[in-house]
Amino acid sequence: MHQLIELIGGDAAGAVEALSAFSLCTRCTGRLFARRLHGMDNALIGSRVKELSGLADPGDEECYLCHGLFKKLDDLASIPLQELSGWEFETLWVGSRLEFGTRQREEEILASHPFPDAEPLKVEVNRELGKRLSVLTGREGRMTNPDMLVIIDTAFRTFELDPSPLFIYGRYRKLVRGIPQTRWPCRKCHGRGCSYCGNRGKMYETSVEELIAPPLMEASGATEHFFHGMGREDIDAVMLGSGRPFIMELSRPRRRKFGLAEVQMGINRLNEGRVEVADLRPSSKEEVRELKAAAPVKKYRITFRTLSKINKQLLGEVVSKLSGAKLAQRTPVRVSHRRADIVRERTVYSCSLSSSEGNVITLEIEAESGTYIKELVTGDGGRTVPSVAGLLGAECEVVSLDVSEVNTGAGEKW
Ligand SMILES: [Zn+2]
Ligand SMILES: [Zn+2]
């Protein structure tokens, strides 16, 4: 008993008494103390326990809990092999589904005594299947973020593959107006297709996402794509300069290693004069989070018309007053149906006059992330203060708005 207490600790007598009610193999016995004896094989722990306690060994097939499951693992591990050969992955992890009866019997055993150091049967099955598949495929086992998760059903001898998505970073330039950044489902039919949307299921013929996606989908063999942009510009705004950072998420990719330079050329050839991409490279889920949280300074070029005659000298004064101005912007009327009505403080870093001909004026504005630029010009009925219209004392109408640079900061990875 002394040696047994040393091995499995605590209430060794109670544990042995509880175990005498079940006929378990060495592996299933050892597993109940696995976390105390880190790194020691469960079957080895089990045979030591049996040796020291005199508990009988029924052999693997006759084990009350596993019914000889571990003898079947070589065979189970080989089931997904053929399908896996059609997928590209460097790392894998295995999960399993156990028969309902097995799970019930395990619960019964664990309810008979505390067994504070027990490892769940499923954890060992996963680990053992993982070792085998790693050898069979020559791929590294990795629990966090594996390229491929294989789930094997040990009762039905079936499996599922759950490949992790592929993330590709890039920057896009949108050279024409009237294209939204992402697919915009029809607001009447939500994508099914109806007379309102001409059976397209969407509000716009295409989007930056849909223009960029096909070459990436083809190269990766993915089934779906999701576009993550570092903010977005208006549908009617072009996006110039060095482009806006984005990450394309590709679901269930068959291939993970392909020539991004070629894909980039393919995208640009396909969309000449409309959309361009640059700097394509592999990315990650973590980077999507960072990209979404980024608050880049943006440079805009806005052209507007004043509805009354304006004084050039006053215009010059207004422009210099706006450089460095702190704005109080109440949520614009045009987005108030989908955003909370609050007042935001935003800074205009710089404002300069690009051209003025008659009553048509173009300004270059650099402003904090989240500034509503159209409203900075129109004043939005007094909801943005100060504003160009307010300072000029003249009503202003926006003609066009372009993003001329998304400045993610020098030395940043974007
Ligand atoms: Zn067993
Ligand atoms: Zn519709």
Side-chain angles (χ1 to χ4, degrees), residues 73-85 89-96 125-142 148-153 158-161:
L73 294 189
D74 284 338
D75 179 43
L76 285 166
S78 70
I79 298 174
L81 268 189
Q82 201 194 342
E83 174 63 22
L84 278 172
S85 67
F89 60 98
E90 303 249 293
T91 54
L92 90 165
W93 195 249
V94 179
S96 62
V125 170
N126 292 352
R127 183 172 62 237
E128 290 301 319
L129 283 172
K131 280 188 208 162
R132 285 163 175 79
L133 263 177
S134 180
V135 170
L136 289 168
T137 58
R139 307 307 204 286
E140 183 198 334
R142 185 186 293 167
M148 180 64 79
L149 178 64
V150 185
I151 298 153
I152 298 178
D153 189 312
T158 54
F159 67 93
E160 274 167 41
L161 298 186

Side-chain angles (χ1 to χ4, degrees), residues 186-199 201-202:
C186 169
R187 64 169 68 101
K188 296 244 158 120
C189 67
H190 304 289
R192 286 190 311 277
C194 67
S195 57
Y196 180 72
C197 60
N199 267 323
K202 48 190 180 178

